[in-house]
């Protein structure tokens, strides 16, 4: 069963911030939020993950709401190479080995 | 190599044939995963190895699918009596620590299987 809900597609202008939402209203206390992306014909690539605090790395920022029922992945300055399918995943750190990918959000960065 | 390596990158076979897909994980990674991705869908979990043993094979669709990792490094996914519905990209991923850790998974580029 899907634990996350994402819009099927989004567009973003090159150079602008891309904000990708994810709903995970049934998330439990020991589940992390992970984001992966998959560029065409490649394997998925890890972007970022978090538990309850906002996180930032060289690729993106992750904003998690206080109730943890939703999150937003932010690509601050989208480039054409960011065009990909973005997957939001919740994962229990204590046992589950299975990352459930769902169908993700297809982000298209427009020149 | 620096990343997860999968061979072959493309495999075309006929219905009923036997197929083997190989995954060479990142050196030192103890955890290894197989996923299957059909067109337009996200990757679907098949099996997870911790070391040499299959710690979780709950995603294997039926007994035609089997995977091994005899020395705790390279893994082979084996599909018997292939069917057209087995056509998909088979992805392998590895991770430096056991399943359940917060470490990321590193994916290969996949093996595209086409069953005619």
């Amino acid at each position: 069963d899907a634990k996350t809900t994402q819009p099927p597609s989004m567009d973003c202008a090159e150079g602008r911030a891309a904000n990708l939402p994810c709903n995970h209203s049934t998330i439990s206390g020991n589940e992390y939020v992970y984001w992966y992306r998959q560029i065409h014909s490649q394997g998925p690539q890890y972007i970022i993950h978090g538990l309850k605090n906002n996180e930032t790395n060289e690729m993106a920022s992750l904003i998690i709401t206080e109730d943890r029922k939703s999150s937003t992945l932010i690509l601050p300055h989208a480039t054409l190479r960011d065009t990909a399918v973005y997957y939001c995943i919740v994962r229990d750190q204590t046992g589950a080995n299975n990352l459930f990918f769902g169908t993700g959000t297809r982000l298209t960065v427009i020149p | 190599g620096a990343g997860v390596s999968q061979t072959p990158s493309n495999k075309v076979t006929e219905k009923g044939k036997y197929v083997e897909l190989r995954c060479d994980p990142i050196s030192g990674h103890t955890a290894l995963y197989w996923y299957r991705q059909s067109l337009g869908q996200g990757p679907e979990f098949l099996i997870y190895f911790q070391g040499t043993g299959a710690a979780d094979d709950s995603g294997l669709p039926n007994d035609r699918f089997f995977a091994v990792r005899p020395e705790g490094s390279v893994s082979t996914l084996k599909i018997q009596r292939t069917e057209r519905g087995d056509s998909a990209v088979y992805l392998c991923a590895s991770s430096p620590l056991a399943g359940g850790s917060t470490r990321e998974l590193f994916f290969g580029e996949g093996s595209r299987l086409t069953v005619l």
Side-chain angles (χ1 to χ4, degrees):
Chain A
D1 292 337
K3 293 185 177 182
T4 65
T5 305
Q6 300 177 253
S9 64
M10 292 181 64
D11 292 341
C12 178
E14 187 179 16
R16 305 297 290 268
N19 296 282
L20 291 93
C22 180
N23 287 321
H24 30 79
S25 58
T26 61
I27 193 170
S28 61
N30 59 352
E31 287 184 317
Y32 283 69
V33 179
Y34 283 77
W35 284 83
Y36 280 74
R37 74 179 182 184
Q38 189 171 24
I39 295 169
H40 183 61
S41 297
Q42 297 183 20
Q45 175 192 25
Y46 166 85
I47 301 172
I48 198 167
H49 75 278
L51 183 62
K52 52 185 175 183
N53 297 322
N54 298 337
E55 301 288 344
T56 295
N57 62 21
E58 65 278 5
M59 291 182 69
S61 294
L62 174 60
I63 308 298
I64 302 174
T65 59
E66 192 169 341
D67 64 6
R68 303 212 319 126
K69 293 183 184 299
S70 66
S71 61
T72 301
L73 180 75
I74 301 172
L75 308 178
H77 305 286
T79 70
L80 298 180
R81 288 179 294 181
D82 292 323
T83 292
V85 178
Y86 287 77
Y87 296 99
C88 170
I89 301 160
V90 296
R91 184 187 188 195
D92 180 351
Q93 69 164 131
T94 61
N97 306 302
N98 180 8
L99 288 179
F100 183 85
F101 278 83
T103 53
T105 295
R106 180 174 297 277
L107 174 69
T108 302
V109 180
I110 302 169
Chain B
V4 176
S5 176
Q6 292 189 247
T7 55
S9 55
N10 277 286
K11 175 70 175 180
V12 180
T13 191
E14 294 179 343
K15 180 175 178 293
K17 297 290 188 182
Y18 170 80
V19 166
E20 288 191 353
L21 306 175
R22 174 188 167 110
C23 173
D24 200 339
I26 294 172
S27 178
H29 281 195
T30 59
L32 185 145
Y33 305 76
W34 283 99
Y35 283 78
R36 177 171 71 173
Q37 187 169 25
S38 301
L39 191 63
Q41 302 297 314
E44 176 188 24
F45 171 77
L46 296 177
I47 188 170
Y48 155 69
F49 287 89
Q50 178 55 37
T52 60
D56 183 353
D57 64 357
S58 62
L60 295 178
N62 52 59
D63 61 6
R64 295 187 297 106
F65 288 75
F66 190 71
V68 296
R69 194 186 185 199
E71 297 178 358
S73 178
V74 171
S75 176
T76 304
L77 178 66
K78 308 181 180 194
I79 310 173
Q80 298 178 321
R81 304 183 303 281
T82 52
E83 300 177 357
R84 292 193 181 87
D86 298 335
S87 296
V89 175
Y90 289 81
L91 293 161
C92 178
S94 68
S95 178
L97 293 176
S101 78
T102 58
R103 293 294 182 95
E104 65 187 274
L105 269 60
F106 295 83
F107 281 84
E109 297 203 342
S111 292
R112 180 177 297 278
L113 175 65
T114 303
V115 182
L116 302 178

